[in-house]
Amino acid sequence: MVSPDVITDRSDPAVQRIADVTKHSRSVVRTVLIEDAEPLVECIRAGLEFIEVYGVETAPVPGEVLAACRQRDIPVRLVGAPIMNDLFKTDKKPKAFGIARVPRPWSFDELARTTGDIVVLDGVKIVGNIGAIVRTSFALGAGGIVLVDSDLTTIADRRLVRASRGYVFSLPIVLASRADAIDHFRRTGVPLIAFDTEGDLAVGDLRDADEQLGLLLGSEKTGTSSSFESIASHTVSIPINPAAESLNVSVCAGIALYERSHWNLVDRRRAPQPPQAPQPPRAPRPAAGRGAGRPSRPAFPGRRSR
């Protein structure tokens, strides 16, 4: 097996490419840094287009990374230790990393073709929480995520890639305004379920809904916005110790998705690929009997009286 070339010349174009992508502030984000073996392998599986993958001269490139790169014909090189020190300075130095092109953003029309539940995060801004929800959503089969008022300008944000362990590219994630998100749920008829401490349903009741749902979660401080609540089909609460103030939003999402895993994991036929050419939108669902602008209410055969 031929050993990868070692980059020792600071004038190598790859050095500037890596330096550019590690900058904390970039006006235009066209490439993204993927760090460490697990995120690298996951992003390669997700179909991300890699320019090059790098290892460190002083440590072997993990075998699973090399195997994934060979399968996709992604070039692999090593970076000399002095150059690594210059590039990452005080940052944690990854043992393996890659530079990939940022895919085109997902659209609502593409999200409408998914079959799993849609997680809607309304005003959730802590990137660590968003990343944890992304990982859980992928693991438990959610169809996609809508981020509203997250302060993120791209899902290729380096913090989010780190927090999600690279899974941010493994399922559809749409950055949207609140108005556009509300319009999507009105248009598609997917019932929106809002999480609230005084919900009319218990979280266990979600098991009884035999259809795709939108799971709406707000920030721990402010909750969900009134404009979203006005179109919600139901509100759901998670029972907790009354002495506890609240649950972390990523924990709430995990509990909700676990209750819905029987629906979401029944048939995960494919891992979504980064969006390519636009496709026609899915036809809206029938909305007979619903109120003005409110999605149809899902049936909960086992619904408890409260």
Side-chain angles (χ1 to χ4, degrees):
M1 182 171 59
V2 179
S3 298
D5 293 338
V6 181
I7 300 172
T8 57
D9 186 350
R10 285 176 171 78
S11 65
D12 190 300
V15 176
Q16 186 59 53
R17 186 161 54 232
I18 298 167
D20 289 342
V21 83
T22 56
K23 291 177 181 176
H24 293 290
S25 58
R26 293 186 288 164
S27 56
V28 179
V29 179
R30 293 193 177 93
T31 55
V32 59
L33 179 71
I34 311 295
E35 303 166 79
D36 298 326
E38 179 191 336
L40 269 173
V41 172
E42 178 54 36
C43 287
I44 292 170
R45 286 175 180 163
L48 217 59
E49 182 185 353
F50 277 84
I51 298 170
E52 207 163 33
V53 166
Y54 306 96
V56 184
E57 182 184 15
T58 54
V61 179
E64 63 270 29
V65 174
L66 285 175
C69 289
R70 287 194 199 101
Q71 190 173 20
R72 289 277 309 281
D73 293 324
I74 299 169
V76 178
R77 289 199 287 168
L78 303 179
V79 180
I83 294 177
M84 282 292 294
N85 291 334
D86 288 345
L87 288 171
F88 290 92
K89 295 183 173 67
T90 58
D91 282 1
K92 169 183 169 288
K93 298 176 180 63
K95 293 182 179 178
F97 60 99
I99 306 296
R101 292 184 174 87
V102 175
R104 180 177 61 79
W106 292 91
S107 70
F108 274 119
D109 286 343
E110 290 160 332
L111 187 68
R113 294 196 300 276
T114 64
T115 57
D117 291 341
I118 306 300
V119 177
V120 183
L121 301 182
D122 181 18
V124 177
K125 299 178 185 290
I126 297 176
V127 177
N129 285 336
I130 299 173
I133 292 169
V134 168
R135 291 182 68 185
T136 303
S137 296
F138 178 75
L140 295 180
I145 298 175
V146 178
L147 298 180
V148 174
D149 191 23
S150 66
D151 288 346
L152 292 170
T153 58
T154 172
I155 64 167
D157 186 289
R158 187 179 175 188
R159 299 166 300 160
L160 182 56
V161 175
R162 282 175 167 174
S164 70
R165 298 299 292 159
Y167 287 93
V168 72
F169 301 108
S170 298
L171 76 170
I173 299 178
V174 176
L175 297 174
S177 69
R178 193 168 282 106
D180 286 345
I182 289 172
D183 179 68
H184 169 75
F185 283 96
R186 282 177 169 160
R187 179 168 52 87
T188 61
V190 174
L192 196 62
I193 309 299
F195 281 73
D196 186 88
T197 54
E198 301 295 330
D200 61 281
L201 295 175
V203 67
D205 294 329
L206 294 178
R207 302 173 201 164
D208 300 323
D210 191 24
E211 63 178 312
Q212 183 184 34
L213 300 177
L215 304 175
L216 173 66
L217 298 110
S219 70
E220 293 170 51
K221 290 185 178 180
T222 61
T224 54
S225 61
S226 58
S227 53
F228 263 126
E229 291 171 356
S230 68
I231 68 163
S233 300
H234 287 291
T235 56
V236 171
S237 62
I238 299 174
I240 63 172
N241 184 337
E245 181 182 354
S246 64
L247 290 173
N248 178 275
V249 65
S250 67
V251 174
C252 292
I255 292 171
L257 288 167
Y258 175 76
E259 296 291 356
R260 293 289 297 160
S261 59
H262 71 287
W263 167 270
N264 289 316
L265 291 175
V266 163
D267 185 9
R268 308 316 297 158
R269 288 181 292 269
R270 50 109 179 103
Q273 297 296 304
Q276 305 296 328
Q279 299 291 329
R282 185 177 63 180
R285 301 183 181 192
R290 67 183 178 186
R294 181 184 292 273
S296 56
R297 294 171 71 86
F300 290 93
R303 179 176 176 182
R304 305 182 191 55
S305 59
R306 295 179 66 85

